[in-house]
Amino acid sequence: MRETIVRALRRQRVAVAVALAAGVLWGVAAGWARRTDGPAALLTLLPLVALLLSLMRVFGRPGAAELRVDEREQAFFGPPKGRVSYRWVLLAFLAYTTTYQLSSGQDGMWWLYPSITGPFAVLLSVALWRRVPTVALTPAGITAGDPLRHTSVPWEALDPAAAGGPSRQSGFQRLPVRSRDLVRQRGLASRRHVVVETGELDVAPELLAGAIQHYAAYPEHRAAIGTPEEHARLRHVLAGGG
């Protein structure tokens, strides 16, 4: 698990550098094009189109992979997807719009917009540099995170009678928490609900929800989490094998 996450983080750090460079260069080019007439002015529209297309992918096809096994870490885990993240495109757009506003030579309150988007781009860059989306089930509970938040939920905090199923279109899965005081969250976490972001994970949301519900209801199986035998048994149960 750790090696997989490290490789994903390296790939994301490269993406951060590329996104910032692409956004700045496109912002300079668009600022120049804005002062000219003709088709070159369309350069200002392409980043917005790219942003909208990337945001549409948040509500697109969810992951379809199995939970992976890590015997050394005693975990079943889901790594991030090996594809372009909407967050990378958002970062490029923020870098673009900040540079564009600074280089286009506008009058009036031109400084207001980059004073908002610039710090936001810096904060997002730092967040993406530190963490990738992941989820792991261990004998102790659930750990999940993405660049903006990190959550740790012990099994005892979950309600075994409540099903916190996934929403295929929302990209998030709500956990059926009954003891909020046992949950540990950092970052931009909701005060009302405890959720796992599934839209960026390479694991089927229904499978993850079924595994969480199973271990919440059957504590006697938690100690075996992370073994190939338990993984095979879990797959059999979730497939309807009883």
Side-chain angles (χ1 to χ4, degrees), residues 181-211:
D181 57 316
L182 298 178
V183 177
R184 298 292 179 265
Q185 296 190 100
R186 298 195 306 269
L188 301 179
S190 171
R191 295 185 177 182
R192 296 184 58 188
H193 305 299
V194 180
V195 298
V196 175
E197 180 180 350
T198 57
E200 295 285 293
L201 295 178
D202 189 24
V203 61
E206 295 86 353
L207 189 152
L208 178 62

Side-chain angles (χ1 to χ4, degrees), residues 1-5 66-79 134-144 155 208 211 215 221-232 234:
M1 177 174 68
R2 191 165 301 176
E3 293 80 2
T4 302
I5 301 306
E66 298 272 353
L67 285 166
R68 304 188 187 185
V69 181
D70 189 322
E71 292 187 78
R72 184 175 59 184
E73 298 287 338
Q74 288 188 284
F76 298 149
F77 72 100
T134 58
V135 64
L137 310 185
T138 69
I142 307 162
T143 58
W155 294 115
L208 178 62
Y215 289 119
H221 296 301
R222 298 171 188 168
I225 292 177
T227 64
E229 296 79 13
E230 176 61 17
H231 187 255
L234 177 65

Side-chain angles (χ1 to χ4, degrees), residues 70-177:
D70 189 322
E71 292 187 78
R72 184 175 59 184
E73 298 287 338
Q74 288 188 284
F76 298 149
F77 72 100
K81 291 179 178 177
R83 70 177 190 186
V84 175
S85 169
Y86 74 93
R87 290 191 179 96
W88 305 350
V89 182
L90 175 59
L91 177 59
F93 179 80
L94 291 172
Y96 152 77
T97 193
T98 301
T99 306
Y100 170 67
Q101 293 292 331
L102 292 175
S103 63
S104 60
Q106 298 184 29
D107 299 325
M109 301 288 287
W110 63 269
W111 52 267
L112 182 60
Y113 195 56
S115 68
I116 297 174
T117 58
F120 192 14
V122 172
L123 292 175
L124 183 57
S125 298
V126 172
L128 290 172
W129 197 265
R130 296 177 58 191
R131 190 181 296 131
V132 294
T134 58
V135 64
L137 310 185
T138 69
I142 307 162
T143 58
D146 58 64
L148 301 179
R149 66 185 65 83
H150 184 269
T151 302
S152 178
V153 183
W155 294 115
E156 293 75 15
L158 300 181
D159 184 357
S167 172
R168 294 184 63 86
Q169 300 303 318
S170 72
F172 291 89
Q173 178 177 319
R174 180 179 172 182
L175 300 182
V177 172

